[in-house]
Amino acid sequence: MAKSNNLNAIEMQCLRLSLGLTVEQIAELTKSTPEAVIAWEAGETEAPVVAQKKLLEIEDTIEMQVLNTTDGIEALFKTEPKRRLAFVVYPTQAIYTQYNPEFLSSLPYTELYNTAAWRIKKECQIVLDVEVSLVALEVESYKSFRADKGMSESRESRAKWAAAQL
């Protein structure tokens, strides 16, 4: 007998909540409707395998980011004993899109990026005893910081701005 790996209604709902997405965002990602997503989560219909696969791929992408980032942080602290970090998160989709075009194919919504940052924060706190603060990017403050320091736009510049906010 073939084993089904399909997600049941509660698993679909938990996955959506775990990703930090709305019903409407799940519908957009899976090319369905909000009504269909609600039906999946209520157990009235089964989510199409393609939709399940898409959402599980996003979950896997986030988990890989958590793993890779925490491994990098752990390596950093072998040579540098500081135990506090700041991560930039993005308060709106427009700001996220502007500053992170490289992530849009794998994590199309700012909520997904911020979910990854939250999971990294928790992993660092629990496993590495590192305190990570999530700092929402304030564009004007960031631009001013860059101008004052003579920096160009980069992930490193955003990281330095975030660290200066602590």
Side-chain angles (χ1 to χ4, degrees):
M1 183 153 107
K3 183 178 180 207
S4 170
N5 289 324
N6 290 344
L7 301 174
N8 65 34
I10 194 69
E11 290 169 330
M12 286 298 296
Q13 183 180 41
C14 289
L15 180 56
R16 177 178 62 79
L17 294 172
S18 173
L19 294 172
L21 297 177
T22 65
V23 167
E24 291 77 16
Q25 288 169 317
I26 293 291
E28 187 177 331
L29 281 172
T30 59
K31 297 177 179 30
S32 59
T33 65
E35 295 77 21
V37 175
I38 291 167
W40 303 340
E41 292 184 2
E44 296 166 2
T45 61
E46 191 171 292
V49 172
V50 169
Q52 293 180 41
K53 185 177 178 184
K54 173 73 173 172
L55 298 175
L56 289 169
E57 284 174 1
I58 291 171
E59 174 68 22
D60 289 346
T61 299
I62 289 172
E63 286 303 311
M64 286 305 297
Q65 283 190 330
V66 171
L67 180 64
N68 291 338
T69 303
T70 53
D71 284 353
I73 290 169
E74 185 175 28
L76 171 71
F77 288 137
K78 286 182 179 174
T79 59
E80 189 177 319
K82 117 179 144 172
R83 290 297 204 210
R84 226 167 126 59
L85 291 174
F87 281 11
V88 174
V89 292
Y90 301 88
T92 67
Q93 185 66 34
I95 294 172
Y96 174 70
T97 301
Q98 177 183 354
Y99 287 97
N100 287 295
E102 71 275 14
F103 288 129
L104 293 178
S105 61
S106 59
L107 300 177
Y109 294 120
T110 187
E111 290 86 352
L112 293 169
Y113 180 90
N114 293 349
T115 294
W118 175 256
R119 291 184 189 180
I120 291 165
K121 172 186 172 71
K122 297 308 293 176
E123 184 79 6
C124 285
Q125 186 177 29
I126 294 168
V127 176
L128 303 176
D129 194 30
V130 172
E131 192 60 40
V132 174
S133 297
L134 303 180
V135 180
L137 183 65
E138 296 170 6
V139 174
E140 293 309 314
S141 171
Y142 170 59
K143 286 180 180 178
S144 175
F145 176 83
R146 273 192 4 236
D148 292 347
K149 306 278 187 205
M151 302 169 124
S152 62
E153 162 46 30
S154 69
R155 291 173 85 186
E156 291 77 21
S157 295
R158 290 192 302 271
K160 288 177 182 177
W161 171 83
Q165 304 311 300
L166 296 181

